[in-house]
Amino acid sequence: MQTQRTQVVIVGGGVAGLMLSQLLHVEGIDCIILERQTRAYTEARIRAGVLEYGTVDLLRRVGVNGRMDRQGLRHEGFLLMDDGEAFRIDLHSLAGQDVMVYGQTEITIDLMDACVERGVPIVFEAADVELHDIDGAPWVSYRHDGSDHRIDCDFIAGCDGFHGVSRRTMPDAAAHCIEKVYPFGWLGILADVPPMDHELIYSNHERGFALASQRSATRSRYYIQCESSEKIEDWSDDRIWDELATRLGDDGRITRGPSLEKSIAPLRSFVCEKMQHGRLFLAGDAAHIVPPTGAKGLNLAASDVAYLADGLIGYYKRGDEAGLEGYTARALSRIWKAERFSWSMTQLTHRFPGMSVFDRKMQKADLNYIRSSPAAQTAIAENYIGLPL
Ligand code: APR
Ligand code: PHB
């Protein structure tokens, strides 16, 4: 058994774990990241793409903003479309901020590069990670390169996503979890073709929701609502492009091309209201999932670790435990507001199986109200750009 000691063990090298490592590192707090996958695997995952300005500020705070500032696209608004009629939510004039379109994949690469440059240790392919004595003097065990390892630490940050080990280790966590599963999924396609518009388009169509998103001037990301049980093998690229053309009311602006990636993901809302037990803290997808319609998953992971870093910095720099004690309440308040926004955007833009005429009339009335009311548009805009940290 090889043994080591650090101040904070971070389980999971996704965006939450990586961002936390940098927030701690710039304050001189030591940590080690344990990641189950290889670096190549974690860097190749296609994930979200819209950053709130608060997330952009956080990346600037840790000095991991060079490539984002050069390559990210500032978006001042987006389009909401219903039955082919579009109107614009002007984020900039309604809420005074923009969002940044820059892929989570790119952020992951930038943060991993920063870890390597700054000497923050990441153990890739850390197998069988287990958390011990989280009520007292915590330690973490894992297997790597055929040998057993042990790291003793002051705190464990569970940043290991929805399927990770951290939430499962927390006694009684399941009793504090609240979940809603939506009766559909999203089929996503990534292709090296120019986006159909310079802004994102969220479309409610009688055949189901569609979203035109992007990663750059030459790379597009599109989604369509589908049944969760559908198989990606049944969706040829041509079938996806035809469906997108229908649902987005294509007037020749969609450029088609071979898919670089395509996949189907279910939609769910999930919150584990127990985010701390003893010296273990959960952050990011380990504690909550939002349906992607509000573009909040990545941004919530960022705000969680900002709060957790505040708590840890208070503990190490000032001997003040108030930030750690208040972590769950502070994080949950923001999480539930993001859950609400993501749920409401999903309600507004998707066709639910078995939707009654009345339900559809309510949806249309909601959209017509938003279209005519600057107050309603402002409420959407201030949530989309991100509520204050
Ligand atoms: N041991 C070590 N690492 C693990 C384990 C484990 N037992 N289980 C999972 N992991 C790793 C995963 O391989 C992954 O790299 O934890 C990481 C979790 O990263 P994410 O799933 O990206 O979660 P998070 O960092 O919280 O980021 C949330 O990702 O899914 C999107 O919409 C979501 O944008 C949001 C963001
Ligand atoms: C994306 O580009 O992946 C994306 C954008 C906006 C969303 C969801 C996903 O609301």
Side-chain angles (χ1 to χ4, degrees), residues 11-17 34-37 42 45 47-48 104 126 129 159-165 283-286 297-298 301:
V11 185
V15 82
L34 299 179
E35 167 55 51
R36 185 169 57 181
Q37 304 288 354
T42 44
R45 285 187 298 215
R47 293 285 187 79
Q104 185 173 332
V129 171
C159 301
D160 47 355
F162 185 64
H163 300 288
V165 64
D285 277 14
L298 159 67

Side-chain angles (χ1 to χ4, degrees), residues 232-297:
I232 196 69
E233 302 76 58
D234 295 334
W235 285 87
S236 66
D237 288 1
D238 280 342
R239 182 176 172 208
I240 298 174
W241 290 118
D242 287 345
E243 196 62 39
L244 283 164
T246 306
R247 296 190 194 183
L248 289 162
D250 184 25
D251 43 10
R253 291 189 301 156
I254 296 183
T255 310
R256 299 179 178 212
S259 58
L260 298 172
E261 190 263 1
K262 53 183 172 179
S263 54
I264 295 176
L267 260 69
R268 65 154 61 85
S269 302
F270 171 88
V271 180
C272 176
E273 290 201 301
K274 181 165 173 162
M275 293 179 70
Q276 180 207 352
H277 183 92
R279 302 219 143 200
L280 168 64
F281 293 83
L282 302 182
D285 277 14
H288 44 74
I289 299 289
V290 284
T293 330
K296 290 286 163 253

Side-chain angles (χ1 to χ4, degrees), residues 47-50 186 200 202 211 213-215 221 223 292-295:
R47 293 285 187 79
V50 176
W186 273 22
L200 270 59
Y202 293 80
L211 167 60
S213 183
Q214 54 194 260
R215 291 290 176 273
R221 179 75 166 155
Y223 298 94
T293 330

